[in-house]
Amino acid sequence: MTDIPEVNKRAKSMDRFSAKCEDVGDHAIWKGTKDSRKRYGLFRYDGKLMRAHRASWLLFEGPLPEGAAVRSTCKVKFCVAPTHLKVDVKPIEAA
């Protein structure tokens, strides 16, 4: 059974996230807070400050494997459209 407060919390986070994006063609351009060097968008989700493209994946696609990195495939600066993101998983090195 799904925990209703958790579903509501995620839905509110999705609404907050979407309000910080501007649709430009098939891109979702991040208009919210950016890091000090203006390289990445920032978003607070589940009590953690993270890069906006990572939050986009978590909110709209789901959990990430341990150690996974999220990167853009479209190369449009500040695009956080989930369909333009790719997950890279680092291979586990043998000890």
Side-chain angles (χ1 to χ4, degrees), residues 7-8 11 13 18 30 33-34 40 42 51 72 82 84:
V7 170
N8 289 340
S13 293
S18 295
W30 184 254
T33 303
K34 297 177 178 83
Y40 297 100
L42 298 173
R51 291 180 176 169
S72 174
H84 295 188

Side-chain angles (χ1 to χ4, degrees), residues 2-76:
T2 305
D3 184 13
I4 298 301
E6 194 61 34
V7 170
N8 289 340
K9 181 177 161 185
R10 184 169 181 207
K12 286 180 183 180
S13 293
M14 292 169 90
D15 288 345
R16 265 189 328 110
F17 187 92
S18 295
K20 296 175 186 293
C21 297
E22 178 183 343
D23 290 334
V24 178
D26 64 340
H27 303 283
I29 306 302
W30 184 254
K31 296 296 183 180
T33 303
K34 297 177 178 83
D35 70 344
S36 61
R37 296 189 305 179
K38 306 285 189 235
R39 293 181 59 201
Y40 297 100
L42 298 173
F43 185 75
R44 186 169 301 280
Y45 175 59
D46 201 24
K48 299 174 197 142
L49 186 63
M50 62 184 69
R51 291 180 176 169
H53 58 282
R54 185 174 188 87
S56 177
W57 187 277
L58 290 169
L59 285 166
F60 298 100
E61 299 296 327
L64 289 162
E66 176 110 14
V70 179
R71 66 179 179 87
S72 174
T73 59
C74 71
K75 307 300 182 199
V76 172

